[in-house]
Amino acid sequence: MNVPFLDLKAHHAPIRDEIFDAISEVVNDSAFAGGKYVEKFEKEWAAYCGVGHAVGVSNGTESLSLILRALGIGTGDEVIVPAMTFVATAEAVSHVGATPVFVDIDPWTHTMDPSKLENVITERTRAIIPVHIFGQCADMNAIGEVAGSHKGLQLHVIEDAAQAHGAIYKGRKAGSLSYAASFSFYPGKNMGAWGEAGAATTSNPFLAAKIRLLREHGSAKKYHHEIVGFNARMDGIQAAVLSVKLKYLDINNDKRRAIAREYARLLSDPIAQLFAAGTYSSPAYHVYAHRVPNRDTVLAHMAAQGVTCGIHYPVPVHLQPAYAYLGYKAGAFPVAEACANEFLSLPMYPELTDAQLAHVVSSLKAGLS
Ligand SMILES: *Cc1c(COP(=O)(O)O)cnc(C)c1O
């Protein structure tokens, strides 16, 4: 039996025609770059997340850097990010000229460890970017408390919610848990476009307006440029695709949650069982990462059984060559480094069948023994 890591074909089969119809409308209106379909999706996404504003942009890396720019963060500033994340979290900080400062993750949630923040806050710290890694929300209340205790610094907390569409933390949706949040709609994410797209969410109307200005060449009125901006608009076609996808997001996340509960039960994984129970939060399970000691052996065994797994992520960001200039050494962040060596991402998508799931678990168990 073959179990792919992700099956976008199966994901799109039932909604293909609906999406093609939506795209046709955009083509009929020639509303390709920004425009009314983007505005429509922005309203829907803001309402879904429970925030005042969503701004559709070209991708999730850009939405994060536009938020930082809109907050005036740049050269000489420091921004705290977790060591275990996709590189884009740190890249966005670099793009605005600021310095990423890494912090270890918590061994239970795999998100930024709030107890480690105090050690890395300096008078240059301007923002903290918790990442809802794998769709598991960071401990936003604890992080917010640390940020709030530094009154003189005006520390902004910004969620990187690129993997957390529809994830819930203490009754509230990812994207509404901080001053501003960034989403990616990269095709493989829980809510993926048919190309590249992203969005920033915030309930601050001034911040939203600033991000809008920045994404559109610094102009609110055509050919009148208030600031030096960028071209970071969302495509109308992507917005139309996303409006269709949004209708199915909760159903699909619930299927992911059911799969996660089943994995946790069959693998007797105490951490996974805790989160699958939904006590701390209700994750969106973008990735189901299981820690295994002998990963290479297990991966090879599972591949031989037709099961494709992923590794998110094999090298923590502080040890990437791109960030060597910051001088971090192996051993700096033991939890992130152990996870990088042991994380194995099991196939996780709403279309995964019961038989496939059983095959994943039996091949994993055989590989471990
Ligand atoms: C995907 C992702 C991004 C970047 O999004 P793009 O749309 O690919 O630019 C940022 N942060 C995290 C955690 C991601 O997973």
Side-chain angles (χ1 to χ4, degrees):
M1 179 188 285
N2 262 328
V3 188
F5 180 63
L6 184 66
D7 193 349
L8 283 182
K9 260 193 188 166
H11 181 63
H12 288 131
I15 53 173
R16 215 180 128 91
D17 291 345
E18 193 180 354
I19 292 179
F20 275 126
D21 288 347
I23 291 176
S24 283
E25 276 187 55
V26 180
V27 175
N28 289 341
D29 285 340
S30 300
F32 295 113
K36 69 179 192 184
Y37 295 94
V38 173
E39 284 166 28
K40 175 174 176 280
F41 172 69
E42 287 177 338
K43 288 204 177 75
E44 293 165 351
W45 189 239
Y48 178 82
C49 293
V51 294
H53 310 271
V55 184
V57 297
S58 47
N59 60 67
T61 310
E62 199 56 40
S63 62
L64 201 49
S65 67
L66 289 183
I67 291 168
L68 294 170
R69 279 183 210 283
L71 290 170
I73 295 171
T75 311
D77 296 331
E78 293 176 356
V79 177
I80 301 171
V81 301
M84 176 52 69
T85 179
F86 179 57
V87 70
T89 316
E91 275 180 323
V93 176
S94 301
H95 289 167
V96 303
T99 304
V101 172
F102 297 103
V103 71
D104 210 352
I105 55 170
D106 173 271
W108 286 78
T109 64
H110 304 140
T111 60
M112 172 180 276
D113 185 342
S115 73
K116 301 280 162 59
L117 283 173
E118 207 58 68
N119 290 336
V120 294
I121 292 175
T122 73
E123 70 278 5
R124 289 168 180 260
T125 311
R126 296 289 314 279
I128 302 172
I129 309 184
V131 179
H132 304 320
I133 193 92
F134 308 153
Q136 169 68 60
C137 287
D139 194 352
M140 298 303 291
N141 288 359
I143 293 166
E145 264 173 42
V146 177
S149 70
H150 289 265
K151 294 267 182 287
L153 286 179
Q154 274 212 315
L155 273 183
H156 290 295
V157 180
I158 302 160
E159 296 157 77
D160 183 342
Q163 303 188 1
H165 317 76
I168 294 165
Y169 172 83
K170 301 186 177 167
R172 289 181 299 144
K173 290 245 175 67
S176 73
L177 307 172
S178 62
Y179 193 57
S182 170
F183 286 92
S184 164
F185 304 114
Y186 179 79
K189 301 279 157 93
N190 283 32
M191 194 170 92
W194 279 10
E196 304 275 354
T201 54
T202 180
S203 284
N204 183 322
F206 302 104
L207 183 65
K210 187 78 186 279
I211 298 169
R212 280 181 205 288
L213 267 187
L214 284 167
R215 80 162 169 193
E216 185 103 27
H217 301 291
S219 74
K221 189 174 154 199
K222 207 167 188 178
Y223 303 131
H224 293 262
H225 307 278
E226 295 167 36
I227 52 175
V228 178
F230 298 83
N231 175 359
R233 289 179 295 250
M234 180 186 271
D235 287 349
I237 285 180
Q238 301 310 337
V241 171
L242 291 168
S243 285
V244 176
K245 288 279 190 99
L246 178 53
K247 293 197 241 168
Y248 305 100
L249 177 61
D250 284 338
I251 297 172
N252 285 328
N253 277 347
D254 282 343
K255 288 183 184 165
R256 287 174 184 269
R257 289 174 183 130
I259 292 165
R261 275 195 296 275
E262 195 60 3
Y263 271 147
R265 187 179 70 81
L266 294 171
L267 296 168
S268 313
D269 177 338
I271 297 184
Q273 281 174 330
L274 178 75
F275 292 124
T279 45
Y280 164 87
S281 72
S282 186
Y285 291 105
H286 175 57
V287 165
Y288 188 97
H290 190 65
R291 280 179 75 165
V292 296
N294 50 339
R295 183 173 64 199
D296 288 349
T297 322
V298 175
L299 252 180
H301 178 87
M302 293 180 77
Q305 301 285 307
V307 179
T308 309
C309 294
I311 299 177
H312 301 89
Y313 295 92
V315 181
V317 190
H318 67 289
L319 298 179
Q320 294 284 355
Y323 285 108
Y325 75 96
L326 292 173
Y328 289 95
K329 297 280 179 283
F333 304 118
V335 182
E337 290 167 30
C339 287
N341 290 329
E342 295 178 5
F343 269 159
L344 178 70
S345 310
L346 305 182
M348 166 54 85
Y349 40 91
E351 300 73 27
L352 192 77
T353 65
D354 292 347
Q356 284 178 315
L357 189 150
H359 184 59
V360 172
V361 172
S362 68
S363 71
L364 172 57
K365 283 185 171 169
L368 281 170
S369 63

